[in-house]
Amino acid sequence: MQNDRLIIAGRELTSRLWVGTGKYKDFAETKKAIEVSGADVVTVAVRRVNITDRSKENLLDYLDPKKYTILPNTAGCYNVEDAVRYARLARAAGVSDMIKLEVLGDERTLFPDTAGLIEAARILVKEGFIVLPYTNDDPIVAQKLVDIGCPAVMPLAAPIGSGLGIRNPYNLKIIMEMIKVPIIVDAGVGTASDAALAMELGADAVLMNTAIAGAQDPIAMAEAMKYAVYAGRLAYKAGRIPRKLYATASSPIEGML
Amino acid sequence: MAEAIRIQVNGEQRGCRADATVGDLLRELAIKTERVAVELNLEILDRKDFDHRSLKQGDRVEILSFIGGGAPVDAQDKGRGFVHAE
């Protein structure tokens, strides 16, 4: 798959597995898991600097921005105003114009507020951001986000951190067929087969955090996810056989006694 | 020595020199200016203006940077808040 490139807003990305950097034991584990996963896009959050304890290390001391595409998010924002504010702060902090836009609607499910998402995306696209929106598995909303100018969309597989896997493969499949920009399945992956399934459905990439960071052995799970995404992509490109109810013999009848 | 003023930095009150700039404050706090964003009274500053923007009594400064985060914003992640824009 040497020529199987993923290009978003003119940027070429080598990995189809994207990873978050939250919930790890420490930065050393974060770094190791990301290295093993082979991911080259990593998401980060924007938060207050600890001004009372300056001894705390900075995550970006562990992640070389030359090696990784650092994708800041607006995680934790529950309205348009906050999401736009965090996006602007992320840009001011200076890694890139790319933002993973989250406008959450509810603390229990962390489902996106898609009306707020569309509004925030519109504002940020006008300001020149490369907006990658975290959205529901709703094809109509995905299309609206593309119409606004989002160069990719990131529908969820299941609620963030739930590990439930792909709850609505048919909706995701419709999104992949309808939408002409890259689709990154984001959130809800639990284990390797979930990631492989997302890729088999035709996702261009998968973003996950908890499935790796929360595993009993995050480093081993990072490796499992790397192969799952790779295998799923290969299978998608190879073109699977149709499902049939009855058997079709693999061995010829001819020449039997 | 210039007269001291009170300002709020990341939600905490502190004193600073009356003629201090945002750049001075960052140096005093030993914060490297790369990869931080600074908001002064809700206005996001250009990094090149840090040394030209002086602080005055009652200013609210927010200094932010990147931390680990990804898909999850679970219940423990509520410590997000700086003061909302009213």
Side-chain angles (χ1 to χ4, degrees):
Chain A
M1 290 202 298
Q2 262 134 2
N3 294 318
D4 189 32
R5 301 180 302 171
L6 174 58
I7 296 172
I8 295 176
R11 287 154 206 245
E12 186 177 333
L13 306 163
T14 55
S15 169
R16 291 176 182 274
L17 172 59
W18 298 10
V19 295
T21 51
K23 291 189 169 176
Y24 286 97
K25 187 177 69 192
D26 51 35
F27 287 148
E29 188 184 72
T30 314
K31 186 179 186 209
K32 179 82 176 145
I34 294 169
E35 277 172 6
V36 168
S37 78
D40 66 348
V41 178
V42 298
T43 63
V44 296
V46 180
R47 294 294 182 268
R48 277 174 165 166
V49 169
N50 187 335
I51 56 167
T52 45
D53 181 8
R54 299 295 307 131
S55 65
K56 289 237 167 105
E57 294 175 297
N58 188 318
L59 172 67
L60 290 196
D61 294 337
Y62 282 78
L63 299 174
D64 182 358
K66 288 189 207 82
K67 196 168 157 197
Y68 297 104
T69 297
I70 307 289
L71 177 60
N73 63 30
T74 62
C77 293
Y78 284 84
N79 59 61
V80 173
E81 188 182 44
D82 280 355
V84 168
R85 184 184 186 192
Y86 273 82
R88 289 172 179 156
L89 285 163
R91 177 153 76 176
V95 289
S96 82
D97 292 338
M98 263 177 141
I99 188 82
K100 181 191 153 190
L101 181 62
E102 294 183 27
V103 182
L104 302 173
D106 165 57
E107 295 196 2
R108 193 160 175 217
T109 60
L110 299 175
F111 278 140
D113 168 358
T114 50
L117 181 68
I118 289 169
E119 196 182 331
R122 191 171 278 132
I123 293 167
L124 293 170
V125 166
K126 271 196 194 125
E127 293 182 12
F129 282 88
I130 298 163
V131 178
L132 310 183
Y134 164 67
T135 184
N136 227 320
D137 54 8
D138 178 336
I140 307 303
V141 171
Q143 184 61 57
K144 285 186 180 181
L145 290 162
V146 174
D147 293 344
I148 287 167
C150 297
V153 288
M154 309 182 72
L156 55 79
I160 290 170
S162 69
L164 286 173
I166 294 169
R167 294 294 78 211
N168 197 337
Y170 302 103
N171 266 34
L172 284 180
K173 189 71 194 166
I174 291 170
I175 290 175
M176 296 187 203
E177 290 199 9
M178 270 178 60
I179 304 296
K180 300 303 170 208
V181 300
I183 309 293
I184 297 100
V185 170
D186 179 10
V189 166
T191 187
S193 53
D194 298 333
L197 176 57
M199 296 307 292
E200 287 169 16
L201 286 169
D204 294 280
V206 180
L207 170 58
M208 65 182 76
N209 190 157
T210 311
I212 296 175
Q216 287 188 27
D217 183 344
I219 310 302
M221 189 57 90
E223 190 174 11
M225 292 301 184
K226 171 183 166 174
Y227 293 122
V229 167
Y230 191 73
R233 179 68 182 172
L234 276 175
Y236 171 72
K237 301 274 278 188
R240 59 154 298 153
I241 59 163
R243 289 179 172 85
K244 285 184 291 190
L245 194 53
Y246 295 102
T248 313
S250 309
S251 310
I253 304 293
E254 203 184 305
M256 284 188 78
L257 295 175
Chain B
M1 164 123 181
E3 196 186 330
I5 55 169
R6 300 291 294 173
I7 59 171
Q8 198 186 82
V9 182
N10 286 7
E12 288 174 31
Q13 293 287 333
R14 62 182 289 129
C16 93
R17 271 190 359 251
D19 60 350
T21 64
V22 169
D24 292 332
L25 175 67
L26 291 171
R27 279 184 288 275
E28 191 187 315
L29 293 169
I31 294 171
K32 284 185 253 165
T33 56
E34 307 94 60
R35 301 184 204 127
V36 296
V38 178
E39 220 184 45
L40 175 58
N41 302 322
L42 301 179
E43 177 199 351
I44 297 173
L45 303 183
D46 237 313
R47 188 167 292 131
K48 62 178 165 37
D49 294 332
F50 287 173
D51 285 327
H52 309 295
R53 294 296 293 263
S54 44
L55 297 164
K56 58 180 194 312
Q57 176 74 26
D59 273 351
R60 287 194 301 166
V61 184
E62 295 287 353
I63 306 165
L64 297 102
S65 190
F66 298 112
I67 63 148
V73 254
D74 58 28
Q76 296 101 44
D77 197 30
K78 300 268 176 55
R80 64 184 188 270
F82 41 69
V83 185
H84 284 233
E86 265 88 30

